[in-house]
Amino acid sequence: DPSSYLPHTLLLDLHRHGRLPFDACLKISLALTTALEHLHEHGLVHRDIKPSNIIFVTGTPKLADIGLVATMDATMSFVGTSGFLPPEGPGKPQADLYALGKVLYEISTGGDRHDFPELPTMLRDDPQRRALEELNEVVLKACDPDVRTRYPTARAMHADLELLRAGKSLQ
């Protein structure tokens, strides 16, 4: 029924559940790095990655609001959402990875992107603390203010997430 339809977005999950468990964060971030890798390999960038632009289709996270997708070499207007934009602005693959890092920060901590990089004190007592600290290493690298030390590609970010899934440490 279109009048009562409510899309299942990552933002909706955050409102309903607060921060998500480590396994859910990992599954979502692996799926989205795969999607970004595909976009970037085809010379495209998303330009507005945020929880409300991540929709679940049969349980799989997908990038939505594709109206802002553009070629990397296009002359573009400055678009994006405050707090998800890197210091250099949108339009490059590293900017998409920065925004994804902020999304990962929000879903793994329950915090607001503007609070980054502060970790909530409640994590001290969390049984998943060690795994979340490892995930935070990915977030810190994705959101580094210096684009030269950020993940160079979605594939590189995906590789670190795969290491976490295999139970290995990034620290």
Side-chain angles (χ1 to χ4, degrees), residues 58-121:
T58 60
T60 303
K62 308 276 185 180
L63 294 171
D65 197 5
I66 59 171
L68 293 177
V69 171
T71 59
M72 289 182 219
D73 61 349
T75 303
M76 298 174 267
S77 59
F78 193 89
V79 296
T81 301
S82 173
F84 293 104
L85 289 168
E88 74 276 8
K92 302 285 183 201
Q94 288 82 9
D96 281 349
L97 297 175
Y98 180 95
L100 181 57
K102 289 290 190 94
V103 168
L104 191 51
Y105 172 80
E106 286 193 342
I107 66 175
S108 65
T109 66
D112 184 275
R113 64 198 178 268
H114 296 292
D115 296 332
F116 173 82
E118 185 153 335
L119 292 176
T121 56

Side-chain angles (χ1 to χ4, degrees), residues 8-165:
H8 180 189
T9 66
L10 190 53
L11 183 62
L12 182 64
D13 279 0
L14 280 169
H15 284 258
R16 287 183 175 165
H17 309 292
R19 71 184 182 91
L20 304 179
F22 170 77
D23 289 339
C25 294
L26 196 55
K27 180 181 175 186
I28 291 165
S29 56
L30 283 165
L32 295 175
T33 52
T34 298
L36 284 176
E37 183 179 341
H38 181 78
L39 272 178
H40 297 164
E41 285 177 350
H42 288 85
L44 301 170
V45 287
H46 187 278
R47 302 191 302 156
D48 197 22
I49 296 170
K50 59 186 177 182
S52 62
N53 283 345
I54 298 167
I55 191 165
F56 291 90
V57 179
T58 60
T60 303
K62 308 276 185 180
L63 294 171
D65 197 5
I66 59 171
L68 293 177
V69 171
T71 59
M72 289 182 219
D73 61 349
T75 303
M76 298 174 267
S77 59
F78 193 89
V79 296
T81 301
S82 173
F84 293 104
L85 289 168
E88 74 276 8
K92 302 285 183 201
Q94 288 82 9
D96 281 349
L97 297 175
Y98 180 95
L100 181 57
K102 289 290 190 94
V103 168
L104 191 51
Y105 172 80
E106 286 193 342
I107 66 175
S108 65
T109 66
D112 184 275
R113 64 198 178 268
H114 296 292
D115 296 332
F116 173 82
E118 185 153 335
L119 292 176
T121 56
M122 68 181 174
L123 289 182
R124 284 188 222 138
D125 302 324
D126 193 295
Q128 294 187 315
R129 176 182 174 194
R130 189 76 189 126
L132 292 168
E133 287 172 345
E134 289 287 342
L135 190 57
N136 192 54
E137 292 297 313
V138 173
V139 172
L140 290 172
K141 185 168 182 174
C143 298
D144 195 299
D146 185 349
V147 70
R148 296 168 298 176
T149 55
R150 233 179 269 155
Y151 285 105
T153 64
R155 182 174 298 191
M157 186 174 177
H158 188 91
D160 275 359
L161 292 164
E162 285 288 0
L163 287 173
L164 296 183
R165 182 161 64 173

